[in-house]
């Protein structure tokens, strides 16, 4: 994995003109030139001509007073993403001069590249905004008892400075605590919808901002999709009403880079979907789809470790030329048999 090391505050001005996209040029043979990528705004990446991997992970150096949350937001990363990429770094009080990984290399979801694609387990939204470009942003989704539904819908009405009506369940919970909730919360700093909302075709579900941006990248909502204020504002201005929205749940993704590297990412499966869910079998199915009729030299031990860790890191699954193949008693005939012999 290529890495770039920058100071946290040292990139702020550059990020404003698209450094996040500039860093995406690593390991992509057919991406635009430096000058072209440098003009791409926050969260924008050139779609590869071949393959399904965008971006490049890099590192930044913590400066005095930074929190991991501040760094995550600055670099278009959510809470869980930054936490999993830096398990030994304090979220709220990292030591100055600590090196922090920004997990910006991503495999695109296995879904039609049209409109908005929301991957729940990944806590990330993808927007295919124009030919040759994909945008991606961290999101919050519904917590377990208020899970965000899977399915295809569309954007409908866009509302600026929306008022918020707490649902009946929330008002009952507040009343039980002796804290009656208001029937309407007007626009303003106390409004949890933030300043921009995009309604979906699924009744009562929205893509909206938040007055608590530190929670973006977690499962904290009552089913809606929350975004950083700057990200929803950008989408609000550009996403047409009637845009297709495909809400999926893919805790494992795999795809090829343009130079022939097989990468995979694994995320913790949503609690409500874990019953009867076998992560390794799910991963095998996804790999079989990526392979087609071929079976490249996969490092199955690495695959198992990736699935078991589920930390969202983009990991290469191909054996190197120096690695000896894993012996099998009778020679695996397919991917399922090959994975079964590595325990």
């Amino acid at each position: 994995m290529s890495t770039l090391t920058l100071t946290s505050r040292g990139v702020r001005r550059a990020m404003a003109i698209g450094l996040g996209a500039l860093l995406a040029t690593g390991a992509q043979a057919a991406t635009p030139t430096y000058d072209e990528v440098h003009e791409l705004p926050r969260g924008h990446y050139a779609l590869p001509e071949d393959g399904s991997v965008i971006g490049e992970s890099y590192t930044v150096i913590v400066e005095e007073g930074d929190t991991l949350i501040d760094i995550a937001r600055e670099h278009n990363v959510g809470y869980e993403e930054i936490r999993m990429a830096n398990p030994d770094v304090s979220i709220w009080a990292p030591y100055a001069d600590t090196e922090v990984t920004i997990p910006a290399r991503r495999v695109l979801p296995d879904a039609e590249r049209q409109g908005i694609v929301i991957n729940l387990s990944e806590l990330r939204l993808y927007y295919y905004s124009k030919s040759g470009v994909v945008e991606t942003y961290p999101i919050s989704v519904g917590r377990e008892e208020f899970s965000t539904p899977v399915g295809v819908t569309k954007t409908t009405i866009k509302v600026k400075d929306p008022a918020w009506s707490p649902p009946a369940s929330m008002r009952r919970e507040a009343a039980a605590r002796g804290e009656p909730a208001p029937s309407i919360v007007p626009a303003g700093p106390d409004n949890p919808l933030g300043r921009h909302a995009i309604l979906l075709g699924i009744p009562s579900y929205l893509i909206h901002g938040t007055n608590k941006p530190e929670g973006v990248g977690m499962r904290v909502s009552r089913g809606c999709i929350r975004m950083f204020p700057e990200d929803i504002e950008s989408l609000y201005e550009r996403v047409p009403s009637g845009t297709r929205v495909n809400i999926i749940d893919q805790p494992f993704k795999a795809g090829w880079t343009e130079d022939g590297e097989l990468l995979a990412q694994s995320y913790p499966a949503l609690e409500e979907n874990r019953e009867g869910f076998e992560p390794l079998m799910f991963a095998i199915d996804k790999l079989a789809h990526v392979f087609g009729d071929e079976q490249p030299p996969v490092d199955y031990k690495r695959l198992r470790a990736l699935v078991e860790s589920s930390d969202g890191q983009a990991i290469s699954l191909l054996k190197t030329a120096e690695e000896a193949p894993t012996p099998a008693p009778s020679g695996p005939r397919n991917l399922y048999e090959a994975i079964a012999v590595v325990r």
Side-chain angles (χ1 to χ4, degrees):
M1 176 185 73
S2 300
T3 60
L4 301 174
T5 303
L6 309 162
T7 63
S8 177
R9 291 194 179 94
V11 299
R12 287 175 186 163
R13 182 174 179 275
M15 285 292 288
I17 57 174
L19 181 58
L22 169 61
L23 296 169
T25 59
Q28 289 191 21
T31 50
T33 65
Y34 174 91
D35 290 335
E36 290 172 327
V37 175
H38 199 68
E39 295 301 321
L40 294 178
R42 169 187 171 96
H44 290 56
Y45 295 90
L47 278 171
E49 293 182 5
D50 297 300
S52 56
V53 176
I54 60 171
E56 188 66 41
S57 294
Y58 56 98
T59 63
V60 299
I61 303 301
V62 176
E63 294 189 4
E64 193 69 41
D66 285 339
T67 71
L68 219 55
I69 302 301
D70 297 330
I71 294 171
R73 181 174 179 179
E74 184 175 310
H75 292 272
N76 192 32
V77 174
Y79 178 95
E80 289 295 337
E81 285 180 306
I82 200 75
R83 182 191 65 79
M84 292 190 297
N86 301 276
D88 299 323
V89 180
S90 169
I91 289 287
W92 296 108
Y95 290 111
D97 298 325
T98 298
E99 187 176 85
V100 171
T101 297
I102 305 299
R105 198 177 200 193
R106 300 184 177 91
V107 179
L108 293 172
D110 182 16
E112 186 176 355
R113 297 179 182 180
Q114 176 187 349
I116 292 173
V117 176
I118 294 169
N119 190 7
L120 299 177
S121 288
E122 188 181 0
L123 296 167
R124 188 156 278 272
L125 177 149
Y126 295 83
Y127 176 37
Y128 297 92
S129 53
K130 57 184 177 181
S131 177
V133 173
V134 61
E135 304 175 31
T136 181
Y137 306 100
I139 58 173
S140 289
V141 302
R143 56 186 187 269
E144 184 175 0
E145 61 270 32
F146 299 100
S147 57
T148 305
V150 171
V152 177
T153 183
K154 63 181 179 180
T155 63
T156 57
I157 301 171
K158 298 193 289 187
V159 182
K160 189 172 182 180
D161 293 322
W164 177 60
S165 178
S169 60
M170 179 177 287
R171 293 199 297 270
R172 288 193 297 269
E173 292 170 6
R177 297 192 303 267
E179 305 169 355
S183 57
I184 296 290
V185 178
D190 296 327
N191 191 314
L193 299 184
R195 297 204 59 195
H196 301 85
I198 302 174
L199 281 65
L200 300 178
I202 306 172
S204 302
Y205 288 89
L206 304 79
I207 303 173
H208 63 79
T210 178
N211 62 343
K212 296 181 178 179
E214 64 275 8
V216 171
M218 303 172 67
R219 295 197 65 194
V220 292
S221 80
R222 288 182 172 249
C224 290
I225 308 299
R226 294 184 188 175
M227 302 183 70
F228 283 129
E230 59 271 26
D231 294 338
I232 184 62
E233 181 177 6
S234 175
L235 287 187
Y236 180 93
E237 299 295 337
R238 297 180 294 107
V239 172
S241 296
T243 297
R244 185 178 191 264
V245 178
N246 186 11
I247 305 174
I248 62 176
D249 183 22
Q250 291 181 6
F252 180 90
K253 303 182 300 175
W256 297 96
T257 66
E258 287 196 320
D259 58 359
E261 184 181 11
L262 175 65
L263 295 184
Q265 292 177 284
S266 181
Y267 298 87
L270 302 184
E271 289 86 347
E272 62 270 24
N273 293 339
R274 287 180 180 173
E275 184 176 355
F277 173 72
E278 191 0 88
L280 189 55
M281 291 300 102
F282 184 88
I284 291 171
D285 285 339
K286 287 297 180 183
L287 281 178
H289 177 69
V290 171
F291 294 162
D293 295 331
E294 300 180 1
Q295 185 180 330
V298 173
D299 186 325
Y300 297 110
K301 288 185 178 179
R302 194 178 300 168
L303 173 60
R304 291 181 69 93
L306 175 67
V307 171
E308 290 169 0
S309 66
S310 294
D311 60 4
Q313 302 309 297
I315 302 297
S316 175
L317 291 183
L318 291 184
K319 287 182 178 292
T320 64
E322 293 77 19
E323 291 178 292
T326 302
S330 58
R333 292 185 298 274
N334 55 48
L335 183 60
Y336 291 89
E337 292 186 11
I339 196 72
V341 302
V342 183
R343 298 192 182 277

